[in-house]
Amino acid sequence: MTAFALKDYGRPPLDSGRGIHLQPDSADGEPFRLWVDEAVKMHVSWVTTATCFLPELEYLASKGIQPICRPKHRANEDWGDDHAVVENMLAAGLYPWVVIYNEPESAVEWPGGEVNEQEYQKKFIRAADIIHARGGYVGVQLMDPLWLENLI
């Protein structure tokens, strides 16, 4: 796998460095647009969203916000077809930032609550290789610094 240089990573045009995680009840319609309008007022330039619908991602980009897609997967699940999100984002002219798994060190992300760091690492690396090979930028969402150190 060839590493990207920092300059190769896509960024929003007016990057404030501010970001939020936005998960409205629905990606369609007025509630979503209202939340995005509030984010614009706060000069947010990055939004992580778990819905990953292309119209939602395009709407964020139209407001100068870089969408970050975080598909909903439990820490023990393979990604399957969700790698297509990279192709969809590229085809729409978006920078394909994708976060792999959500806080996998938390027991609530594992069926039965049994956390398995080695299993997570294997699944993360497999998903990251595919996302990177398709031109995507891989994001990590960990709360435990030791898990991040171990993953790197």
Side-chain angles (χ1 to χ4, degrees):
M1 173 172 27
T2 304
F4 291 134
L6 185 58
K7 67 177 178 48
D8 296 329
Y9 284 85
R11 305 181 73 81
L14 299 173
D15 188 2
S16 68
R18 292 184 186 139
I20 60 172
H21 188 201
L22 180 63
Q23 191 169 347
D25 291 338
S26 169
D28 321 321
E30 198 60 27
F32 175 73
R33 287 190 293 276
L34 289 172
W35 281 111
V36 172
D37 290 345
E38 290 301 313
V40 169
K41 290 176 192 174
M42 295 185 302
H43 304 285
V44 167
S45 55
W46 297 84
V47 168
T48 300
T49 179
T51 52
C52 301
F53 299 124
L54 193 55
E56 171 190 51
L57 303 177
E58 290 173 323
Y59 185 75
L60 286 163
S62 76
K63 297 295 187 174
I65 297 173
Q66 172 60 49
I68 303 169
C69 181
R70 185 185 62 79
K72 294 179 182 180
H73 290 287
R74 293 284 189 198
N76 69 315
E77 295 175 346
D78 284 318
W79 269 52
D81 292 337
D82 274 347
H83 297 96
V85 72
V86 173
E87 286 92 357
N88 293 339
M89 290 177 79
L90 285 169
L94 303 173
Y95 296 120
W97 283 95
V98 181
V99 172
I100 301 175
Y101 302 109
N102 178 58
E103 301 174 14
E105 68 276 43
S106 173
V108 299
E109 294 295 331
W110 292 84
E114 293 194 32
V115 176
N116 185 325
E117 185 176 6
Q118 289 73 34
E119 182 180 352
Y120 158 72
Q121 290 172 347
K122 289 176 188 173
K123 291 186 183 306
F124 179 94
I125 290 167
R126 188 170 30 247
D129 284 346
I130 294 169
I131 289 168
H132 183 79
R134 292 183 180 184
Y137 309 131
V138 176
V140 181
Q141 187 167 335
L142 292 166
M143 300 299 288
D144 185 333
L146 185 57
W147 273 55
L148 180 59
E149 186 177 320
N150 292 343
L151 182 63
I152 293 171

